[in-house]
């Protein structure tokens, strides 16, 4: 029998083994990597009925399903500007679609990983944006636990975003800008979309990157380092690959030659997954990019003391001003 010391020793060996093997396991099983990146199996809050946005206090939101590919449905919410809430009662999809032709601009919101379009911090943001007079359109990527079909992939998420963009563009007033708001992993999807979409976006579209994940490789690396906080895993062999260089990785540098849109980056400090310095680099690259010259490029950092962290920028009392300043117009409300 082992003495106490022996037991402790054995336990330490087991822990050490687990600790050392985690990065190898993650590296060797890409499906685990994909799950860690997309966190699509996380559904918070679990019990909400996505067919009933009213349960989340959204009384002017319509739930619908679109098919980016034959047989693949994804769930979408369309929230009309809050001042239309009375008109919106008991209205069907046709009425909601008809509202796109009003003078109110549309914000396409690309959410981050984990959870669904009904997540609370997202819902709170839709409320703020709709109260400022914008339509907010948001959807769950394929494979997002919730009610969208399919399984998640970088390519799939991007084509879902492109599909929704086109769907909106076909319904909106041609002269109105479309604002694309990417949050967290959604900024990766956005940048990825741009790479493909660059020739299709209209010149008036404007982009907001919120809590951007910086170059995806960096982000994934820090993700993994949270799991295993050692420096030896930072060798390139351990780079995650589900989002790879054809898409979001390295996007900071490949992106800018193509960007000819006004761009703002909102960042709350003390965000665990991003590094301010990588973002500042991104920003300084953007501000020097020739394709962006003549365009507005903003970087807004919220002090850590406000504790907005990764999800709570909607609480900022400055947000309406930041937006109207960026969008260059009074809010339509
Ligand atoms: C419906 O939503 C609007 C905008 O959020 C709000 O001002 C209004 O009080 C809500 N109405 C009801 C009956 O809850
Ligand atoms: C982008 O910013 C520039 C410079 O501030 C401004 O003149 C232009 O109107 C903005 N573009 C749009 C589409 O608002
Ligand atoms: C990574 O990129 C290569 C091309 O560069 C592509 O063939 C491959 O499918 C991509 N992998 C994923 C998981 O997207």
């Amino acid at each position: 029998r082992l003495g106490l010391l022996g037991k402790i020793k054995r336990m330490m060996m087991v822990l050490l083994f687990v600790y050392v093997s985690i990065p190898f396991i993650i590296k060797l099983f890409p499906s685990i990597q994909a799950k860690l990146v997309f966190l699509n199996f996380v559904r918070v809050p679990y019990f909400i009925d996505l067919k009933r946005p009213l349960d989340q206090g959204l009384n002017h939101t319509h739930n619908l399903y679109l098919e980016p590919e034959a047989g693949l449905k994804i769930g979408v919410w369309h929230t009309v500007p809050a001042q239309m809430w009375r008109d919106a009662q008991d209205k069907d999809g046709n009425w909601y679609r008809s509202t796109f032709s009003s003078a109110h601009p549309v914000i396409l919101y690309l959410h981050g990983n984990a959870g669904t379009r009904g997540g609370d911090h997202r819902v709170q943001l839709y409320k703020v944006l709709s109260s400022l007079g914008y339509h907010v359109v948001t959807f769950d990527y394929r494979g997002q636990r919730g009610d969208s079909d399919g399984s998640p992939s970088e390519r799939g998420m991007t084509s879902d975003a492109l599909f929704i963009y086109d769907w909106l563009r076909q319904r909106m007033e041609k002269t109105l800008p479309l604002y694309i708001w990417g949050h967290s992993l959604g900024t990766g999807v956005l940048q990825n979309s741009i790479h493909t979409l660059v020739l299709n976006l209209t010149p008036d579209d404007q982009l907001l990157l919120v809590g951007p994940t910086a170059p995806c490789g960096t982000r994934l690396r820090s993700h993994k380092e949270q799991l295993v906080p050692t420096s030896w895993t930072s060798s390139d062999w351990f780079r995650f690959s589900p989002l790879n260089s054809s898409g979001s990785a390295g996007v900071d540098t490949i992106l800018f030659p193509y960007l000819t849109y006004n761009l703002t980056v909102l960042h709350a400090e003390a965000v665990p997954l991003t590094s301010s310095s990588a973002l500042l680099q991104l920003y300084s690259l953007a501000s020097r990019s020739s394709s962006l010259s003549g365009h507005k490029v903003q970087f807004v950092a919220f002090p850590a003391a406000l504790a907005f962290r990764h999800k709570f920028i909607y609480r900022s009392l400055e947000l309406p001003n930041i937006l109207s300043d960026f969008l260059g117009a009074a809010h339509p409300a």
Side-chain angles (χ1 to χ4, degrees):
R1 306 187 88 211
L2 288 171
L4 183 61
L5 199 63
K7 278 185 188 162
I8 291 177
K9 259 193 192 156
R10 197 164 66 181
M11 209 153 80
M12 298 299 275
M13 290 307 289
V14 170
L15 286 179
L16 185 69
F17 179 74
V18 170
Y19 180 77
V20 170
S21 45
I22 282 175
F24 286 96
I25 292 173
I26 292 175
K27 170 69 190 183
L28 296 174
F29 295 92
S31 62
I32 298 182
Q33 296 176 19
K35 284 206 184 316
L36 284 176
V37 174
F38 300 124
L39 293 178
N40 61 306
F41 55 95
V42 178
R43 179 173 177 183
V44 193
Y46 199 79
F47 293 108
I48 82 165
D49 181 352
L50 292 167
K51 292 195 175 61
R52 294 175 47 87
L54 182 58
D55 294 352
Q56 313 309 313
L58 290 167
N59 65 24
H60 46 295
T61 297
H62 178 60
N63 177 60
L64 65 152
Y65 298 91
L66 294 175
E67 273 191 37
E69 276 168 29
L72 188 135
K73 275 191 304 109
I74 59 174
V76 182
W77 278 2
H78 169 201
T79 301
V80 294
Q83 60 269 38
M84 296 184 185
W85 77 266
R86 278 176 211 283
D87 297 337
Q89 300 314 300
D90 304 319
K91 291 299 196 315
D92 63 4
N94 288 330
W95 180 84
Y96 273 87
R97 267 194 299 282
S98 73
T99 62
F100 283 130
S101 60
S102 71
H104 297 266
V106 178
I107 295 180
L108 170 60
Y109 178 79
L110 306 175
H111 73 60
N113 62 0
T116 62
R117 61 193 184 281
D120 187 59
H121 68 99
R122 295 172 187 150
V123 168
Q124 298 312 322
L125 182 70
Y126 314 152
K127 287 181 184 171
V128 171
L129 298 178
S130 77
S131 76
L132 295 173
Y134 301 97
H135 291 273
V136 184
V137 173
T138 182
F139 63 97
D140 289 328
Y141 310 102
R142 65 185 66 188
Q144 201 72 29
R145 184 67 61 88
D147 54 4
S148 290
D149 299 336
S151 58
S153 68
E154 177 181 18
R155 187 177 296 273
M157 291 166 105
T158 305
S159 56
D160 294 345
L162 295 183
F163 180 85
I164 304 282
Y165 176 88
D166 287 337
W167 185 84
L168 282 171
R169 267 286 165 220
Q170 282 159 24
R171 281 155 188 84
M172 282 172 56
E173 192 61 51
K174 293 285 169 287
T175 55
L176 276 185
L178 197 140
Y179 305 130
I180 309 177
W181 181 303
H183 176 236
S184 195
L185 189 66
T187 64
V189 175
L190 166 58
Q191 296 168 356
N192 211 351
S193 317
I194 291 162
H195 204 46
T196 331
L197 241 193
V198 63
L199 300 173
N200 302 352
L201 291 180
T202 62
D204 281 345
D205 293 340
Q206 303 199 46
L207 313 176
L208 294 111
L209 308 183
V210 182
T213 46
C216 256
T218 321
R219 169 177 185 272
L220 298 179
R221 189 173 287 189
S222 50
H223 211 107
K224 173 200 61 209
E225 279 167 0
Q226 280 190 321
L227 210 63
V228 184
T230 58
S231 51
W232 62 269
T233 54
S234 55
S235 97
D236 269 352
W237 192 76
F238 286 107
R239 272 186 102 106
F240 283 7
S241 53
L243 299 165
N244 78 22
S245 54
S246 59
S248 319
V251 78
D252 54 342
T253 40
I254 51 173
L255 177 66
F256 293 128
Y258 300 94
L259 266 187
T260 50
Y261 311 101
N262 289 348
L263 171 78
T264 198
V265 176
L266 305 187
H267 173 66
E269 287 171 34
V271 175
L273 297 183
T274 58
S275 97
S276 306
S277 60
L279 280 181
L280 284 171
Q281 271 170 14
L282 191 128
Y283 171 70
S284 84
L285 270 173
S287 50
R288 279 181 281 129
S289 155
S290 56
S291 67
L292 282 166
S293 71
H295 288 84
K296 209 179 290 184
V297 180
Q298 287 182 330
F299 183 88
V300 183
F302 297 92
L306 292 170
F308 294 152
R309 295 175 38 240
H310 201 43
K311 294 182 175 170
F312 303 110
I313 281 177
Y314 71 82
R315 291 181 184 157
S316 167
L317 300 176
E318 287 301 310
L319 192 57
N321 291 334
I322 293 169
L323 287 181
S324 62
D325 187 42
F326 172 61
L327 302 176
H331 296 296

